[in-house]
Amino acid sequence: MKTSKKLSNYVRAYNYIKEGILQERYDEAYVFIEAVIADELGISRTPVREAIKMLRTENWLQSVPKKGIVCRPFTTKDIENVYKMAGAVESMIACDIAEERGAYDLPVLREYAKAMTEAMERGDKEGWLEADCGFHEQLLDLSHNRFAVSAMRQMQQLIEVVRIRYTGLHISSMEKSTQLHRLECEAIISGDAGFARALVEQHWKVTLQDVMEKSRKE
C-alpha cells in the first residue's frame, strides 16, 4: 500500500511539473525547489525529487551551476527535430498499414479526410482541427507497431505545444494539409506503401516549414 501511494505521489508530481512546463507556467528563470512543489501538492519531498530527476533525464529540466534546477530552453532546433522525428515515425506507420491493408478497417480514414474537407470548405477551423487530430490518432489506433505508436504519443505533447505557440490555422495551410491527407488516405487504402510513406513525410515537411516561418515572426 505504501509503495502504491509513493508511486501515485510521484506520478502526481511528475505530471504537475510537466504540465506546468508545457503550459508555460514556468519560465526559464523559475528555479524548481522540491519543498515548494511538495507544499503546492501537499505531499512529501521524496516523490517530487524523483519526478524532477526523471524530468532531467528526459531533458525537460536542467541543472545550472550556482542557480539550481530550471527549465531547459525549447529552441527552434528542438521544434525542427520533433517534426522530423514525427514525420519519420508516422511515415513508417502509414507504410506498414498500407502493406498489410487487408488486416485493417481503413474506410474510417476516408471519413476523417472527408470531415477535414467539409470543415475547410465551411471555414470551420475548430472542426477541421478535430478531424485532423482524429486522422492522425486513427493511424496510431490502426498500427500494430507498439514501439512506433509509443514514440508518436510521446512527441504529441510537444507538437501540441508548438501548435499552440506558433500555428494559427489559415485557409491556405488547411487546404495543403487536407489535400495531403486525402492522398495519404487513398495511397494507404490502395496499398501503395511507398507513396503513402512519401506523402506523410511531405505532410510533416510542409507543416514544419509553416511552423518555422511563424516562429521566426515571433
Side-chain angles (χ1 to χ4, degrees):
M1 183 65 72
K2 289 183 178 180
T3 301
S4 177
K5 183 177 180 180
K6 181 178 179 181
L7 177 61
S8 176
N9 285 337
Y10 159 74
V11 172
R12 283 180 61 203
Y14 176 90
N15 290 339
Y16 179 78
I17 296 170
K18 189 171 182 179
E19 286 173 6
I21 296 170
L22 292 172
Q23 295 169 6
E24 298 185 275
R25 190 165 68 237
Y26 309 117
D27 59 24
E28 293 174 20
Y30 183 87
V31 178
F32 289 85
I33 300 173
E34 294 172 10
V36 173
I37 302 295
D39 285 345
E40 290 175 352
L41 292 172
I43 61 178
S44 69
R45 294 171 58 178
T46 301
V48 175
R49 183 180 306 119
E50 292 303 312
I52 289 175
K53 181 179 179 181
M54 178 56 69
L55 289 162
R56 286 182 61 189
T57 300
E58 295 176 350
N59 289 316
W60 291 95
L61 301 176
Q62 63 181 343
S63 178
V64 177
K66 298 182 180 180
K67 187 173 183 179
I69 306 297
V70 299
C71 292
R72 184 176 292 276
F74 193 59
T75 66
T76 53
K77 187 61 178 177
D78 291 329
I79 296 173
E80 183 178 353
N81 288 337
V82 168
Y83 273 71
K84 285 182 177 179
M85 288 172 62
V89 175
E90 191 174 84
S91 65
M92 179 175 66
I93 288 173
C95 181
D96 289 346
I97 294 173
E99 287 178 342
E100 302 178 17
R101 63 191 186 283
Y104 301 94
D105 179 18
L106 297 178
V108 68
L109 284 175
R110 277 202 180 111
E111 293 302 312
Y112 281 114
K114 180 182 178 183
M116 290 177 68
T117 301
E118 293 173 347
M120 178 190 68
E121 289 174 346
R122 64 177 182 266
D124 179 4
K125 295 181 180 181
E126 185 175 339
W128 183 91
L129 185 57
E130 183 178 346
D132 175 62
C133 291
F135 186 94
H136 289 280
E137 188 64 27
Q138 187 61 36
L139 285 177
L140 300 187
D141 288 344
L142 289 170
S143 177
H144 295 161
N145 187 334
R146 60 192 177 95
F147 301 108
V149 171
S150 177
M152 278 301 296
R153 294 207 185 283
Q154 289 183 41
M155 287 184 281
Q156 280 177 334
Q157 287 182 310
L158 285 171
I159 292 167
E160 181 60 22
V161 171
V162 173
R163 188 198 297 272
I164 292 170
R165 291 185 187 181
Y166 300 118
T167 63
L169 287 175
H170 299 292
I171 296 300
S172 59
S173 299
M174 292 166 64
E175 288 176 345
K176 286 187 293 186
S177 188
T178 300
Q179 181 182 25
L180 284 170
H181 277 64
R182 285 199 302 256
L183 291 171
E184 290 167 25
C185 177
E186 296 310 316
I188 291 171
I189 291 176
S190 68
D192 193 338
F195 192 35
R197 180 191 288 272
L199 286 167
V200 173
E201 290 176 345
Q202 179 64 14
H203 163 71
W204 283 98
K205 182 178 180 180
V206 167
T207 304
L208 173 60
Q209 290 173 343
D210 191 40
V211 169
M212 297 303 287
E213 181 180 342
K214 290 183 174 68
S215 69
R216 284 191 289 268
K217 294 178 181 178
E218 290 286 309

